[in-house]
Amino acid sequence: MTELSVPVRKPARPHFSSGPCAKPPGWSPDKISTESLGRSHRSKIGKSRLKYCIDLLREVLQVPDTHRIGIVPGSDTGAVEMAMWTMLGARPVTTLAWESFGAGWVTDAVKQLKIDPTVMEAPYGELPELGGVDWSNDVIFTWNGTTSGVRVPNGDWIADDREGLSIADATSAVFAQDIAWDKVDVLTFSWQKVLGGEGAHGVLILGPRAVERLESYTPSWPLPKVFRLTKGGKLIEGVFIGETINTPSMLAVEDAIFALEWAKSVGGLEGMMARANANAAALNALVEDRDWLGHLAADPATRSNTSVCLTVEGADTDFIKKFAGLLEAEDAAYDIAGYRDAPAGLRIWCGATVDTADIEALGPWLDWAWESLKA
């Protein structure tokens, strides 16, 4: 490979981070409310802001009153593992995995909880056979595979008369995809993904059947304090009105409130989904115009509209690292290399916090990086 300075003319820079934690347009630190900062989360103002955040989550996501919403420790991982440790073991379990995070829940079920689940797997870019799921089991799945760009098409495959619980890791699906709340018993996410918020906290949403499980079943293994959702056989209701299990970052909470208020300003859930869909369509147009780019998720019906994973002709991990590095050095795009466990490729964030014009502006930069490395 010959050493080049500027192999092609550099395009105009987009104005965004294309990684999976992109801030909403217009965000800046001085726009974050400071009224709860430096105060106890158990103070009147602290509890009121936590409850306001939960109320905003319910409003924007259109979560029915039948479902409880709690802010919990440990990001989405903490929320998923809280559900697994407190609810699994009452009946057989099925785990679905088609990307790295789903595979992580398989590991938890097999190696940590040792509950011998039925494991249904598919390679990156594909889904397992959803019609083959046994709904007499508890079922754990990712609604949107963040590291593979493959999502479930809808909730139709989840049985209405299920005996087991449906437990959905939806951290890169909420605020961008329509969630069938009547099909979901447990849903988890972290606001750092589709809201572009700060990390560390997860959100746990429980339907009535999940609450019934918690109040009627005690697992055989010990539960750490940060996982405990019941006391004396009853749900700790305070967790779902802002009385968190442990000390939250009120700065992260205020940041999430900013993002939720912004989401309301762009049309709420419908507006957020429309923005993500427009971004995904713009990226798809870029892919179709370039014979060296492709989609890891071949089926458009199950292709993510947030974490869109792309294949690059002939690329290996080293090539992708250099490709992403070129763009980052030019402040053109950040964090677009595919996940470390995924096939070598790019992952472009198309969630609602990104403007479509910036997805479109990314195209010439992709060409520039490609031509630079191929010259």
Side-chain angles (χ1 to χ4, degrees), residues 343-356:
L346 304 175
R347 180 173 56 163
I348 311 298
W349 188 252
C350 290
T353 57
V354 174
D355 286 331
T356 303

PDB file of all heavy atoms in Angstrom, residues 343-356:
ATOM      1  N   PRO A 343     -19.004 -10.064  12.968  1.00  0.00           N
ATOM      2  CA  PRO A 343     -18.175 -10.106  11.764  1.00  0.00           C
ATOM      3  C   PRO A 343     -17.617  -8.720  11.453  1.00  0.00           C
ATOM      4  O   PRO A 343     -18.256  -7.697  11.733  1.00  0.00           O
ATOM      5  CB  PRO A 343     -19.150 -10.568  10.671  1.00  0.00           C
ATOM      6  CG  PRO A 343     -20.231 -11.285  11.407  1.00  0.00           C
ATOM      7  CD  PRO A 343     -20.361 -10.587  12.724  1.00  0.00           C
ATOM      8  N   ALA A 344     -16.427  -8.665  10.869  1.00  0.00           N
ATOM      9  CA  ALA A 344     -15.794  -7.382  10.560  1.00  0.00           C
ATOM     10  C   ALA A 344     -16.704  -6.548   9.667  1.00  0.00           C
ATOM     11  O   ALA A 344     -17.188  -7.014   8.633  1.00  0.00           O
ATOM     12  CB  ALA A 344     -14.450  -7.613   9.875  1.00  0.00           C
ATOM     13  N   GLY A 345     -16.963  -5.335  10.074  1.00  0.00           N
ATOM     14  CA  GLY A 345     -17.835  -4.457   9.305  1.00  0.00           C
ATOM     15  C   GLY A 345     -18.057  -3.160  10.047  1.00  0.00           C
ATOM     16  O   GLY A 345     -17.375  -2.858  11.033  1.00  0.00           O
ATOM     17  N   LEU A 346     -19.013  -2.379   9.578  1.00  0.00           N
ATOM     18  CA  LEU A 346     -19.333  -1.092  10.171  1.00  0.00           C
ATOM     19  C   LEU A 346     -20.681  -1.168  10.875  1.00  0.00           C
ATOM     20  O   LEU A 346     -21.535  -1.972  10.515  1.00  0.00           O
ATOM     21  CB  LEU A 346     -19.399  -0.007   9.096  1.00  0.00           C
ATOM     22  CG  LEU A 346     -18.160   0.174   8.231  1.00  0.00           C
ATOM     23  CD1 LEU A 346     -18.424   1.193   7.129  1.00  0.00           C
ATOM     24  CD2 LEU A 346     -16.954   0.598   9.071  1.00  0.00           C
ATOM     25  N   ARG A 347     -20.851  -0.318  11.885  1.00  0.00           N
ATOM     26  CA  ARG A 347     -22.149  -0.198  12.554  1.00  0.00           C
ATOM     27  C   ARG A 347     -22.481   1.286  12.623  1.00  0.00           C
ATOM     28  O   ARG A 347     -21.814   2.048  13.317  1.00  0.00           O
ATOM     29  CB  ARG A 347     -22.121  -0.822  13.950  1.00  0.00           C
ATOM     30  CG  ARG A 347     -23.450  -0.715  14.674  1.00  0.00           C
ATOM     31  CD  ARG A 347     -23.470  -1.475  15.979  1.00  0.00           C
ATOM     32  NE  ARG A 347     -22.409  -1.089  16.889  1.00  0.00           N
ATOM     33  CZ  ARG A 347     -22.420  -1.370  18.199  1.00  0.00           C
ATOM     34  NH1 ARG A 347     -23.423  -2.046  18.719  1.00  0.00           N
ATOM     35  NH2 ARG A 347     -21.418  -1.005  18.969  1.00  0.00           N
ATOM     36  N   ILE A 348     -23.493   1.688  11.889  1.00  0.00           N
ATOM     37  CA  ILE A 348     -23.879   3.093  11.814  1.00  0.00           C
ATOM     38  C   ILE A 348     -25.142   3.297  12.636  1.00  0.00           C
ATOM     39  O   ILE A 348     -26.152   2.640  12.419  1.00  0.00           O
ATOM     40  CB  ILE A 348     -24.150   3.529  10.362  1.00  0.00           C
ATOM     41  CG1 ILE A 348     -23.000   3.098   9.444  1.00  0.00           C
ATOM     42  CG2 ILE A 348     -24.383   5.031  10.289  1.00  0.00           C
ATOM     43  CD1 ILE A 348     -21.659   3.709   9.778  1.00  0.00           C
ATOM     44  N   TRP A 349     -25.080   4.230  13.582  1.00  0.00           N
ATOM     45  CA  TRP A 349     -26.225   4.478  14.445  1.00  0.00           C
ATOM     46  C   TRP A 349     -27.229   5.364  13.712  1.00  0.00           C
ATOM     47  O   TRP A 349     -26.908   6.458  13.259  1.00  0.00           O
ATOM     48  CB  TRP A 349     -25.778   5.140  15.732  1.00  0.00           C
ATOM     49  CG  TRP A 349     -26.894   5.239  16.718  1.00  0.00           C
ATOM     50  CD1 TRP A 349     -27.561   6.362  17.099  1.00  0.00           C
ATOM     51  CD2 TRP A 349     -27.503   4.162  17.425  1.00  0.00           C
ATOM     52  NE1 TRP A 349     -28.544   6.049  18.004  1.00  0.00           N
ATOM     53  CE2 TRP A 349     -28.532   4.696  18.222  1.00  0.00           C
ATOM     54  CE3 TRP A 349     -27.275   2.782  17.454  1.00  0.00           C
ATOM     55  CZ2 TRP A 349     -29.334   3.921  19.043  1.00  0.00           C
ATOM     56  CZ3 TRP A 349     -28.073   1.997  18.271  1.00  0.00           C
ATOM     57  CH2 TRP A 349     -29.080   2.567  19.060  1.00  0.00           C
ATOM     58  N   CYS A 350     -28.463   4.879  13.606  1.00  0.00           N
ATOM     59  CA  CYS A 350     -29.523   5.593  12.892  1.00  0.00           C
ATOM     60  C   CYS A 350     -30.681   5.966  13.814  1.00  0.00           C
ATOM     61  O   CYS A 350     -31.769   6.292  13.333  1.00  0.00           O
ATOM     62  CB  CYS A 350     -30.044   4.733  11.733  1.00  0.00           C
ATOM     63  SG  CYS A 350     -28.872   4.559  10.378  1.00  0.00           S
ATOM     64  N   GLY A 351     -30.450   5.911  15.116  1.00  0.00           N
ATOM     65  CA  GLY A 351     -31.504   6.260  16.057  1.00  0.00           C
ATOM     66  C   GLY A 351     -31.948   7.705  15.912  1.00  0.00           C
ATOM     67  O   GLY A 351     -31.336   8.513  15.201  1.00  0.00           O
ATOM     68  N   ALA A 352     -33.031   8.054  16.612  1.00  0.00           N
ATOM     69  CA  ALA A 352     -33.685   9.346  16.424  1.00  0.00           C
ATOM     70  C   ALA A 352     -32.840  10.534  16.845  1.00  0.00           C
ATOM     71  O   ALA A 352     -33.129  11.670  16.432  1.00  0.00           O
ATOM     72  CB  ALA A 352     -35.006   9.356  17.191  1.00  0.00           C
ATOM     73  N   THR A 353     -31.809  10.333  17.649  1.00  0.00           N
ATOM     74  CA  THR A 353     -30.979  11.465  18.060  1.00  0.00           C
ATOM     75  C   THR A 353     -30.053  11.939  16.950  1.00  0.00           C
ATOM     76  O   THR A 353     -29.348  12.942  17.116  1.00  0.00           O
ATOM     77  CB  THR A 353     -30.140  11.096  19.300  1.00  0.00           C
ATOM     78  OG1 THR A 353     -29.346   9.945  19.014  1.00  0.00           O
ATOM     79  CG2 THR A 353     -31.024  10.828  20.503  1.00  0.00           C
ATOM     80  N   VAL A 354     -30.028  11.229  15.816  1.00  0.00           N
ATOM     81  CA  VAL A 354     -29.229  11.613  14.657  1.00  0.00           C
ATOM     82  C   VAL A 354     -30.139  12.293  13.633  1.00  0.00           C
ATOM     83  O   VAL A 354     -31.276  11.871  13.425  1.00  0.00           O
ATOM     84  CB  VAL A 354     -28.547  10.373  14.040  1.00  0.00           C
ATOM     85  CG1 VAL A 354     -27.833  10.723  12.745  1.00  0.00           C
ATOM     86  CG2 VAL A 354     -27.582   9.750  15.036  1.00  0.00           C
ATOM     87  N   ASP A 355     -29.641  13.355  12.997  1.00  0.00           N
ATOM     88  CA  ASP A 355     -30.384  14.025  11.928  1.00  0.00           C
ATOM     89  C   ASP A 355     -30.125  13.322  10.599  1.00  0.00           C
ATOM     90  O   ASP A 355     -28.980  12.961  10.285  1.00  0.00           O
ATOM     91  CB  ASP A 355     -29.959  15.490  11.807  1.00  0.00           C
ATOM     92  CG  ASP A 355     -30.508  16.356  12.930  1.00  0.00           C
ATOM     93  OD1 ASP A 355     -31.592  16.033  13.455  1.00  0.00           O
ATOM     94  OD2 ASP A 355     -29.845  17.345  13.293  1.00  0.00           O
ATOM     95  N   THR A 356     -31.161  13.178   9.791  1.00  0.00           N
ATOM     96  CA  THR A 356     -31.041  12.492   8.508  1.00  0.00           C
ATOM     97  C   THR A 356     -30.005  13.157   7.605  1.00  0.00           C
ATOM     98  O   THR A 356     -29.262  12.477   6.879  1.00  0.00           O
ATOM     99  CB  THR A 356     -32.406  12.438   7.802  1.00  0.00           C
ATOM    100  OG1 THR A 356     -33.343  11.785   8.659  1.00  0.00           O
ATOM    101  CG2 THR A 356     -32.319  11.691   6.486  1.00  0.00           C
TER     102      THR A 356
END
